[in-house]
Amino acid sequence: MPVQATHMGPITRLLTQDKNGRRLLLVIAVLAIVVPFCNLLFPAESVLHISTYTMTLLGKYLCYALLAIAVDLIWGYCGILSLGHGAFFALGGYAMGMYLMRQVGDRGVYGNPELPDFMVFLNWQELPWYWLGFDSFAFSMLMVLLVPGTLAFVFGALAFRSRVSGVYLSIITQAMTYALMLAFFRNDMGFGGNNGLTDFKDILGFDLQSDGTRAGLFIASALALMLGYVISRVITASKLGRVLVAIRDSESRARFLGYRVEHYKLFVFVVSAMLAGVAGALYVPQVGIINPSEFAPIFSIEIIIWVAVGGRGSLYGAVIGAVLVNYAKTWFTGAFAELWLFLLGGLFVLTTLYLPRGVIGLWPPLQQRWHRYRQQRDLVHQEDCL
Amino acid sequence: MSIAPKHIEQPSVLYMDGVSVSFDGFKALNSLSMCIEPGEMRAIIGPNGAGKTTMMDVITGKTQPDCGTVLFNDQHDLTRYDEAAVANLGIGRKFQKPSVIESLTVFENLEMSLRGGRSVWQALRHRLTAEQQDKLDHILALIDMTARLDTFAGNLSHGQKQWLEIGMLLGQQPQLLLIDEPAAGMTDEETMKTAELFKTLAQHHSLMVVEHDMDFIAALECRVTVLHEGSVLAEGSLASVKANDKVIDVYLGR
Ligand SMILES: Nc1ncnc2c1ncn2[C@@H]1O[C@H](COP(=O)(O)OP(=O)(O)OP(=O)(O)O)[C@@H](O)[C@H]1O
Ligand SMILES: [Mg+2]
């Protein structure tokens, strides 16, 4: 029953009711402590040592997991199949990349204190206006939220107001990310063209190549994922979350109950875009580059597959899906890179056909079987004793 | 918004005059006029395709009429409102096809229907008050689902879904209820219980009930309007309508 425990704070109350969420947060928290610990404190030859490569890889997965939560919020709960979330991720990444470029200062190849290398190369004389402010970390972090958020707001306001939904919405979100990709490929846009932004030196004065900084970024990613989970959970567990489900299941019912569907869609779309932006911003310093390929339509589709594989409509399912698929990808692209897209497609078809609730849908039946097995075993055991 | 003058002496909850709707040249409503008085229950009958559902679409802001007047409480021009706004004015609607939120429980469905708190922010901060809890208990008892409050709506039978949807209408506390084919998929017993429920509701609400089941209509004991090809063919007591030659020709059969 929903009414009880009024004396607890909203977040405590929420987490006491969310067993899987608690487990997930616990796992992430443990990782956030153990991984940097093992990386920094054990020497490379120790069995307990975790290499910086592995830590960075795991950090990348954490960013992808946050991105998956963002997509699950909009698709799993509200039924909006956005095939353009890679764009919000990339924009967050570019905002971070611009900050990191400004941090390079005069240590670039051309030694220009004001202009990033690619601008010097293009013979630009001064910094374009939209690069102003990115020397400030606080301003850049604000942009990490505001740029994806504003794009989502404008795009969503137009689309949801005119009641664009279903396949049409999916198509225009693909078109959005594709258009952005083409734009960012252009050198005269001032974002480094197809090379993107790279050769970063440090963040907040800390050397990006050092293990300590890497560990810090890993911890930041873990915290961001935990916070993203809690925010999403607060939303989905509230009445707002139930309205979102109502919109997914029966949009007209929600309207005729008096809910302004377009406002609700716009709200989650913007929140989701911001979460994606944060994921992108944490991703970039760990991989050391941001380029227009992150806008590629296929990337946005991949995110959908992570969520579908993990379990659409379950926040921790999205996290599991993102980690599983990306682990498989890391492993697979090492072995047979050309086959990866076929495998991904096959995975999607298989989950859609046989695992509509994703990997986490496997869990309850397994649990039941285990219980039945144990009961039977106990029964046999009792009989033996008699 | 928009206080429109009206040249009718009697007050009405719903006033429609000369309403026409066409789909690709086909007139689904053809200069339809009808008036429902405060506290009245009205049954609407008519052959398939007569325009009954389309009429409800027009009233609830889903479909824009080509022309005509639609007034709520003699003051709100409903053609200027969208679905959510119409709902918030106090008009609840039950669809022809049962429409409940299948992946939410009975309780959650009803909770969501409760009047007020429609903005995103209010929804985020929503906590059930004791008063609302009482209201929910009352509705649950009325639709006979107290024992099912944790059942997912998707697992209910067709008839139960209909009842849940009616319960959700009540949660909205509307002044006017538009109910499209409530008895479809119900057993005879459920049908009669539904008729009883509506008679109870009619004490505090205005109702417009579309139905094909004549026993059900008879049990409602109210005025009947017959729609045919988008306009009113006859109106009056069930007995008088049944005796009408035109009605017998197009709907009841000889
Ligand atoms: N969106 C639409 N586009 C085209 N034609 C429509 C549309 N909606 C309704 N119609 C047509 O308008 C006519 C009236 O339909 P309506 O659903 O109002 O009938 P009804 O009286 O509710 O019938 P029933 O008893 O079968 O529910 C039908 O011929 C239907 O095909
Ligand atoms: Mg109909």
Side-chain angles (χ1 to χ4, degrees):
Chain A
M1 281 288 297
V3 250
Q4 48 187 233
T6 27
H7 53 279
M8 285 191 286
I11 293 182
T12 341
R13 191 179 56 240
L14 208 87
L15 291 178
T16 50
Q17 288 167 2
D18 177 21
K19 202 162 117 195
N20 291 316
R22 273 198 325 264
R23 283 186 190 147
L24 177 76
L25 291 178
L26 188 70
V27 169
I28 303 170
V30 168
L31 282 178
I33 296 166
V34 171
V35 173
F37 189 85
C38 293
N39 173 260
L40 296 176
L41 294 189
F42 291 105
E45 47 300 338
S46 160
V47 276
L48 289 173
H49 177 75
I50 291 179
S51 72
T52 306
Y53 171 80
T54 306
M55 181 167 69
T56 303
L57 191 66
L58 291 174
K60 231 173 83 174
Y61 291 169
L62 294 178
C63 296
Y64 284 151
L66 181 57
L67 180 57
I69 284 186
V71 167
D72 196 24
L73 198 57
I74 188 94
W75 180 47
Y77 286 88
C78 196
I80 300 170
L81 179 57
S82 165
L83 295 180
H85 256 58
F88 303 125
F89 180 83
L91 287 172
Y94 267 97
M96 175 60 101
M98 287 161 81
Y99 164 75
L100 296 174
M101 283 313 265
R102 300 290 287 134
Q103 288 294 291
V104 173
D106 60 6
R107 289 169 293 171
V109 177
Y110 298 107
N112 187 315
E114 266 305 306
L115 299 186
D117 279 350
F118 73 89
M119 290 186 191
V120 180
F121 186 74
L122 290 172
N123 273 325
W124 289 18
Q125 296 311 314
E126 59 180 52
L127 210 59
W129 61 268
Y130 46 82
W131 274 76
L132 296 178
F134 278 94
D135 45 344
S136 148
F137 184 73
F139 177 84
S140 307
M141 292 309 102
L142 198 65
M143 289 303 126
V144 163
L145 292 172
L146 281 189
V147 173
T150 309
L151 176 65
F153 184 84
V154 173
F155 185 92
L158 293 172
F160 302 140
R161 243 187 104 86
S162 33
R163 301 203 179 171
V164 180
S165 60
V167 189
Y168 300 101
L169 191 100
S170 305
I171 292 171
I172 59 169
T173 52
Q174 276 266 285
M176 173 189 77
T177 195
Y178 188 63
L180 283 168
M181 179 176 76
L182 295 184
F184 275 74
F185 262 128
R186 298 170 57 96
N187 280 328
D188 52 9
M189 276 285 286
F191 296 108
N194 59 353
N195 295 324
L197 309 175
T198 187
D199 292 331
F200 309 131
K201 297 280 186 272
D202 45 33
I203 182 168
L204 287 168
F206 297 104
D207 179 8
L208 271 175
Q209 301 312 320
S210 79
D211 289 350
T213 311
R214 290 300 177 98
L217 287 168
F218 180 86
I219 294 170
S221 307
L223 290 178
L225 177 57
M226 291 166 80
L227 188 65
Y229 179 86
V230 171
I231 290 173
S232 304
R233 174 74 194 166
V234 166
I235 291 175
T236 56
S238 70
K239 188 177 115 177
L240 169 51
R242 296 192 283 283
V243 177
L244 297 181
V245 169
I247 292 171
R248 179 191 73 190
D249 283 7
S250 173
E251 184 167 329
S252 58
R253 178 76 281 171
R255 282 188 203 281
F256 286 108
L257 280 174
Y259 291 97
R260 295 225 154 266
V261 166
E262 56 280 11
H263 293 183
Y264 283 81
K265 286 185 173 176
L266 190 57
F267 175 79
V268 270
F269 198 55
V270 170
V271 170
S272 168
M274 288 179 164
L275 290 176
V278 171
L282 285 161
Y283 175 84
V284 167
Q286 298 187 75
V287 296
I289 183 168
I290 173 76
N291 64 31
S293 68
E294 306 294 341
F295 284 109
I298 185 71
F299 177 55
S300 293
I301 294 174
E302 279 195 57
I303 310 169
I304 294 293
I305 300 178
W306 308 342
V307 176
V309 167
R312 177 189 172 199
S314 146
L315 295 171
Y316 69 93
V319 171
I320 293 175
V323 174
L324 277 184
V325 177
N326 280 295
Y327 180 73
K329 184 178 183 174
T330 307
W331 186 81
F332 227 79
T333 41
F336 346 76
E338 332 73 62
L339 289 179
W340 171 243
L341 278 183
F342 291 99
L343 186 83
L344 196 67
L347 203 60
F348 189 53
V349 173
L350 286 179
T351 34
T352 318
L353 288 180
Y354 300 108
L355 280 181
R357 305 209 353 91
V359 176
I360 60 150
L362 287 171
W363 181 236
L366 276 180
Q367 229 175 358
Q368 274 167 17
R369 255 192 227 180
W370 171 241
H371 279 303
R372 231 176 300 146
Y373 164 76
R374 277 230 306 227
Q375 269 167 8
Q376 267 168 11
R377 194 188 53 184
D378 291 350
L379 228 66
V380 173
H381 185 68
Q382 274 168 14
E383 278 165 12
D384 286 351
C385 293
L386 286 177
Chain B
M1 241 172 62
S2 77
I3 316 289
K6 196 171 66 95
H7 359 272
I8 279 226
E9 311 74 38
Q10 263 181 347
S12 59
V13 191
L14 185 67
Y15 172 88
M16 284 185 281
D17 191 27
V19 177
S20 295
V21 171
S22 50
F23 296 113
D24 309 318
F26 169 76
K27 287 221 162 198
L29 291 185
N30 191 356
S31 192
L32 174 76
S33 303
M34 191 187 306
C35 180
I36 296 193
E37 290 167 23
E40 186 186 348
M41 171 147 69
R42 176 73 61 89
I44 312 281
I45 59 175
N48 293 115
K52 305 179 296 292
T53 301
T54 307
M55 175 178 72
M56 292 194 169
D57 287 346
V58 169
I59 299 168
T60 53
K62 188 179 174 208
T63 303
Q64 272 290 319
D66 303 334
C67 60
T69 315
V70 187
L71 291 181
F72 179 57
N73 281 337
D74 296 328
Q75 49 171 336
H76 301 285
D77 177 0
L78 292 181
T79 58
R80 291 151 155 267
Y81 291 77
D82 68 1
E83 298 97 318
V86 170
N88 290 327
L89 277 178
I91 299 182
R93 173 173 186 184
K94 197 199 96 44
F95 292 90
Q96 184 162 350
K97 182 172 145 274
S99 149
V100 291
I101 315 305
E102 309 232 322
S103 42
L104 295 181
T105 65
V106 167
F107 183 90
E108 290 169 332
N109 267 280
L110 289 172
E111 183 197 30
M112 210 173 70
S113 74
L114 288 180
R115 191 194 174 87
R118 258 44 178 172
S119 77
V120 173
W121 181 240
Q122 286 167 327
L124 186 61
R125 310 223 32 190
H126 167 84
R127 304 294 323 271
L128 205 62
T129 63
E131 196 186 329
Q132 288 175 322
Q133 180 69 53
D134 289 347
K135 177 85 192 156
L136 284 178
D137 291 341
H138 175 71
I139 296 175
L140 280 166
L142 206 62
I143 59 172
D144 207 6
M145 287 206 185
T146 310
R148 294 222 157 70
L149 87 181
D150 285 327
T151 310
F152 285 105
N155 295 339
L156 297 174
S157 73
H158 194 80
Q160 287 169 333
K161 284 183 190 167
Q162 303 269 44
W163 275 62
L164 175 57
E165 200 177 352
I166 293 166
M168 290 167 74
L169 286 197
L170 299 179
Q172 284 177 267
Q173 295 181 271
Q175 195 186 340
L176 171 67
L177 285 86
L178 309 175
I179 302 175
D180 207 348
E181 305 203 13
M186 285 190 180
T187 62
D188 287 350
E189 191 194 344
E190 284 173 330
T191 304
M192 286 307 131
K193 254 166 77 182
T194 308
E196 283 310 311
L197 174 65
F198 286 1
K199 284 205 284 196
T200 322
L201 296 180
Q203 293 162 6
H204 303 284
H205 306 264
S206 307
L207 280 88
M208 181 193 263
V209 184
V210 168
E211 197 34 83
H212 286 292
D213 182 334
M214 291 312 262
D215 294 333
F216 178 78
I217 300 285
L220 293 181
E221 300 170 319
C222 67
R223 260 174 94 83
V224 178
T225 298
V226 187
L227 284 195
H228 177 55
E229 292 180 348
S231 47
V232 175
L233 187 68
E235 200 166 281
S237 70
L238 182 60
S240 76
V241 162
K242 268 183 161 172
N244 186 315
D245 282 343
K246 286 187 287 181
V247 177
I248 296 174
D249 277 343
V250 305
Y251 186 47
L252 299 172
R254 300 234 171 226

